[in-house]
């Protein structure tokens, strides 16, 4: 074992007192926000054991030597992976190297693993297979998300600031109080602390509380401490100040097509669901009328001739569905109770790959997205022909026939039914691997030509792979902006169509969208749901700050909506509140923002009450996902705050 990493007590954290874990990035963030986790054995110390995974901070020293055949992950500020030492290629063990000297980056840390057997569940296997350059990862302390400061603390000689506020949060007034603690200053080095340049008082115990005036909207707060010998350290916050909502807030209950179809076989079953929802305090229903398979739950379809969900081939996992006009029943029963009914469409989703169910995609194979994935060893394939096809089949949002067909579905619903709104769900690309069709290439080349640029290598000028690691090419930023523009143009078309309908009919149909709350990663799906006035600041610590070019910012589409629902499907109150704040910052409060809450993750009355209270305080209302997960007694108590 190398001398620089031999067993050493040092500033070792008592790992028996806390449960610390590192969480890798999720494999597909559009499906789940959680990645695989592994326990951290120790911090800034090498235990006398055969297997360990250690977190090294700058309190250790400036660098760490990774042992021969060890695996290491270098993590920078903002929890971004900068380098993986002995990364495993797809399907193979690493080409072992070392010893390797690895710098501990400023504001970051290094993870190192060593064990006698490289095998699944081992520390080395976890780091080598689950981490890639550019990933955003998490640290957890007793299950709660934290940072390396929260895990390791500071060595006695190292000055540090710990803040009681999260790095991003919402305030419902124009003042906030920044509180925290300064530690690590040597005797005689009394720290001088400032908050946005204003002097703040630090008491003898190192604690401070400083009241700060806020402007409405986003505010950046810099907290800096200096000692007499000019040692300094700084922390930053992003605070969104919003006015309290005066209007009656919507409580929207989502009714997923597949998850609820087995229970909604009659008008009576619909009536019972809606009466319970009304009694609990629900004001609106989001009815999924076009599921991911492409089948619909309405019968008046003169423009698309979409097959009804009763035609779904029974896969043995669900109850056959009768040929009911479910949308009409929901409207009749819902309006009788005073509930608004919004028809939700899975826009560019056109099939369930995992179940082999496709309403129309088999008849329109030219619509399917073409993907470029590392699993296909350089080939570009139709999504279902890929070695890693995913779960849901997507149609290419750039294909004019696809767009016309989706808009026709919206038109037949708002013309044939008295809906109160249309919701765009999955109005995006599948993920970063799509679409690489000849059509998209030609349109991208035209986009580049307008900007005086040229495509020389396809697709390498955009991206390529080294093993299973994505390597961005010189045109990657143009690519993100181009794809976002495709989606924004579609949303604008949908809004224009709905507005024309409202003018002609004297109606008030709303257009909304459901998106994932993880805005800093959503650019890979081509959906920029922010305000075009959103300005990225490095203090937000987003996954890839370079994405937010002038062209990309201009594609923000929130102004084409009447309201926006973001899925804050995180598993702790702190993380839910963080992504509410990110949503407020990204949209600038330009349209009502609704926090989507996953009921199966928030299944206790106490947790529901806490999360609902935050959502109703920090956003404009609630979207509850999904009716199939509702415990009515719990929901009643939670919404009524009993």
């Amino acid at each position: 074992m190398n001398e620089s990493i031999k067993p050493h007590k040092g500033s070792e954290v008592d790992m028996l007192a806390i449960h610390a874990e590192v969480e890798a990035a999720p494999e597909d963030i559009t499906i789940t926000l959680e990645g695989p986790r592994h326990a951290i054995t120790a911090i800034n110390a090498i235990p006398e054991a055969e297997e360990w995974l250690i977190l090294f901070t700058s309190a250790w020293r400036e660098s760490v030597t990774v042992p021969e055949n060890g695996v290491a992950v270098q993590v920078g500020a903002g929890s971004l992976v900068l380098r993986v030492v002995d990364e495993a290629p797809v399907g193979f063990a690493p080409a072992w190297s070392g010893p390797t000297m690895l710098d501990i980056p400023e504001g970051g840390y290094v993870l190192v693993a060593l064990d006698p057997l490289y095998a699944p569940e081992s520390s080395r296997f976890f780091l080598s297979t689950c981490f890639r350059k550019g990933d955003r990862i998490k640290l957890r302390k007793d299950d709660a998300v934290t940072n390396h400061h929260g895990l390791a603390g500071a060595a006695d000689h190292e000055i540090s600031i710990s803040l009681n506020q999260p790095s991003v949060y919402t305030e419902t007034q124009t003042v906030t109080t920044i509180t925290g603690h300064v530690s690590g200053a040597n005797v005689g080095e009394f720290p001088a602390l400032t908050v946005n340049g204003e002097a703040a008082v630090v008491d003898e115990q190192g604690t401070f509380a400083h009241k700060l005036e806020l402007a409405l909207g986003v505010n950046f707060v810099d907290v800096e401490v200096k000692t007499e010998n000019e040692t300094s350290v700084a922390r930053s916050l992003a605070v969104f100040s919003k006015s309290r909502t005066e209007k009656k807030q919507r409580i929207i209950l989502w009714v997923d097509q597949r998850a609820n179809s087995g229970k909604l076989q009659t008008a009576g079953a619909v009536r019972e669901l809606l009466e319970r929802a009304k009694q609990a305090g629900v004001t609106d229903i989001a009815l999924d009328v076009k599921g991911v398979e492409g089948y619909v739950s309405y019968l008046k379809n003169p423009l698309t001739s979409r097959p009804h969900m009763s035609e779904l081939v029974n896969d043995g996992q669900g109850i056959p569905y009768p040929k009911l006009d479910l949308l009409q029943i929901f409207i009749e029963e819902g309006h009788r109770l005073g509930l608004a009914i919004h028809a939700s469409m899975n826009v560019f989703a056109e099939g369930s790959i995992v179940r082999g169910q496709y309403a129309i995609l088999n008849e329109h194979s030219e619509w399917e997205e073409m993907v470029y994935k590392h699993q296909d060893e350089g080939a570009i394939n139709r999504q279902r022909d890929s070695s890693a096809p995913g779960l849901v089949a997507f149609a290419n949002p750039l294909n004019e026939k696809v767009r016309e067909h989706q808009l026709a579905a919206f038109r037949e619903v708002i013309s044939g039914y008295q809906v109160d709104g249309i919701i765009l769900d999955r109005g995006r690309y599948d993920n970063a691997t799509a679409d690489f069709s000849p059509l998209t290439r030609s349109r991208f080349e035209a986009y580049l030509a307008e900007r005086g640029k040229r495509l020389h290598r396809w697709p390498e000028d955009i991206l390529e792979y080294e093993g299973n690691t994505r390597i961005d090419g010189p045109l990657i930023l143009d690519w993100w902006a181009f794809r976002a523009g495709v989606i924004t143009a579609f949303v604008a078309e949908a809004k224009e169509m709905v507005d024309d309908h409202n003018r002609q009919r004297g109606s008030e149909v709303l257009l909304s969208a459901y998106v994932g709350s993880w805005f800093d990663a959503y650019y890979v799906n081509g959906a920029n749901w922010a305000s075009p006035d959103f300005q990225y600041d490095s203090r937000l610590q987003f996954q890839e700050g370079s994405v937010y070019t002038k062209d990309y910012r201009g594609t923000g589409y929130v102004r084409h909506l009447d309201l926006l629902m973001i899925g804050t499907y995180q598993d702790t109150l702190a993380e839910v509140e963080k992504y509410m704040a990110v949503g407020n910052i990204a949209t600038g409060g330009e349209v009502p923002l609704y926090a989507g809450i996953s009921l199966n993750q928030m299944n206790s009355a106490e947790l529901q009450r806490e999360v609902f209270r935050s959502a109703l305080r920090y956003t404009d209302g609630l979207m509850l996902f999904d009716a199939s997960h509702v415990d009515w007694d719990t929901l009643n108590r939670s919404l009524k705050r009993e």
Side-chain angles (χ1 to χ4, degrees), residues 217-443:
V218 65
N219 299 260
F220 293 103
V221 182
D222 297 311
V223 182
E224 185 177 18
V225 62
K226 287 185 178 181
T227 62
E228 290 179 355
N229 67 359
E230 296 301 311
T231 301
S232 67
V233 66
R235 297 284 302 280
S236 296
L237 303 171
V239 187
F240 188 85
S241 173
K242 73 186 294 290
S243 302
R244 293 296 298 269
T245 301
E246 300 297 333
K247 297 179 181 178
K248 180 177 173 63
Q249 294 177 298
R250 296 176 190 266
I251 310 293
I252 304 172
L253 178 63
W254 195 284
V255 183
D256 182 78
Q257 186 184 86
R258 173 172 283 275
N260 293 278
S261 60
K263 302 174 184 177
L264 302 176
Q265 300 264 316
T266 65
V270 173
R271 186 179 309 116
E272 181 182 358
L273 169 68
L274 295 179
E275 286 175 348
R276 283 189 160 188
K278 177 70 175 181
Q279 183 181 17
V282 170
T283 63
D284 295 57
I285 298 293
L287 178 65
D288 187 10
V289 299
K290 180 199 168 198
V292 296
E293 298 88 357
Y295 293 84
V296 298
S297 50
Y298 59 90
L299 293 174
K300 290 182 264 186
N301 57 353
L303 302 179
T304 67
S305 301
R306 276 266 176 189
H308 187 262
M309 58 187 297
S310 59
E311 299 177 45
L312 262 169
V313 177
N314 188 1
D315 57 5
Q317 298 179 1
I319 301 171
Y321 190 79
K323 197 163 187 176
L324 288 178
D325 195 327
L326 195 63
L327 177 56
Q328 185 60 41
I329 296 171
F330 262 82
I331 290 171
E332 291 171 1
E333 298 294 340
H335 285 177
R336 178 179 61 82
L337 293 167
L339 294 170
I341 307 297
H342 305 253
S344 172
M345 299 276 196
N346 276 274
V347 183
F348 296 116
E350 289 294 353
S352 170
I353 296 173
V354 70
R355 296 188 179 96
Q357 296 172 334
Y358 310 95
I360 64 171
L361 197 59
N362 288 336
E363 288 73 47
H364 297 281
S365 60
E366 73 280 6
W367 288 8
E368 193 170 345
E369 282 188 338
M370 296 192 71
V371 298
Y372 176 48
K373 299 189 173 187
H374 68 81
Q375 294 93 335
D376 296 326
E377 299 180 345
I380 295 174
N381 296 316
R382 293 197 187 279
Q383 186 178 359
R384 287 180 289 172
D385 295 331
S386 170
S387 299
L391 301 178
V392 176
F394 273 70
N396 181 3
L398 194 56
N399 186 304
E400 292 299 331
K401 295 293 184 183
V402 170
R403 296 163 76 94
E404 289 171 5
H405 192 88
Q406 308 306 332
L407 290 171
F410 303 162
R411 189 175 293 110
E412 66 188 7
V413 166
I414 63 176
S415 299
Y417 298 89
Q418 290 185 317
V419 294
D420 299 287
I422 288 284
I423 302 172
L424 310 182
D425 187 11
R426 289 188 170 88
R428 55 176 174 78
Y429 289 88
D430 183 15
N431 53 44
T433 65
D435 171 86
F436 285 86
S437 66
L439 170 63
T440 297
R441 175 178 178 171
S442 65
R443 295 289 181 84

Side-chain angles (χ1 to χ4, degrees), residues 530-542:
S531 163
D533 289 340
F534 168 74
Q535 295 280 344
Y536 176 70
D537 187 287
S538 61
R539 287 169 287 189
L540 289 169
Q541 295 188 359
F542 278 5

Side-chain angles (χ1 to χ4, degrees), residues 147-255:
N147 54 34
H148 62 288
H149 300 292
L151 278 185
D156 291 340
H157 66 278
E158 185 182 25
I159 192 166
S160 69
I161 306 170
S162 60
L163 299 177
N164 298 326
Q165 289 72 34
S167 60
V168 182
Y169 67 97
T170 303
E171 187 63 83
T172 54
Q173 51 190 353
T174 56
V175 65
T176 193
T177 302
I178 308 299
T179 64
H181 184 264
V182 178
S183 61
N186 293 326
V187 176
E189 293 183 349
F190 189 78
L193 185 134
T194 59
V195 179
N196 278 4
E198 300 175 4
V201 176
V202 181
D203 67 19
E204 292 181 357
Q205 287 73 44
T207 59
F208 61 89
H210 185 79
K211 187 175 289 187
L212 188 69
E213 296 292 329
L214 301 173
L216 285 175
V218 65
N219 299 260
F220 293 103
V221 182
D222 297 311
V223 182
E224 185 177 18
V225 62
K226 287 185 178 181
T227 62
E228 290 179 355
N229 67 359
E230 296 301 311
T231 301
S232 67
V233 66
R235 297 284 302 280
S236 296
L237 303 171
V239 187
F240 188 85
S241 173
K242 73 186 294 290
S243 302
R244 293 296 298 269
T245 301
E246 300 297 333
K247 297 179 181 178
K248 180 177 173 63
Q249 294 177 298
R250 296 176 190 266
I251 310 293
I252 304 172
L253 178 63
W254 195 284
V255 183

Side-chain angles (χ1 to χ4, degrees), residues 44 55-65 74-76 82 101-112 148:
N44 291 332
L55 185 148
F56 293 99
T57 72
S58 57
W60 171 260
R61 51 178 67 98
E62 292 182 354
S63 63
V64 62
T65 300
Q74 184 188 52
V75 184
L82 305 178
M101 182 73 75
L102 200 58
D103 290 339
I104 299 174
E106 182 179 355
Y109 54 93
V110 171
L111 298 161
V112 182
H148 62 288

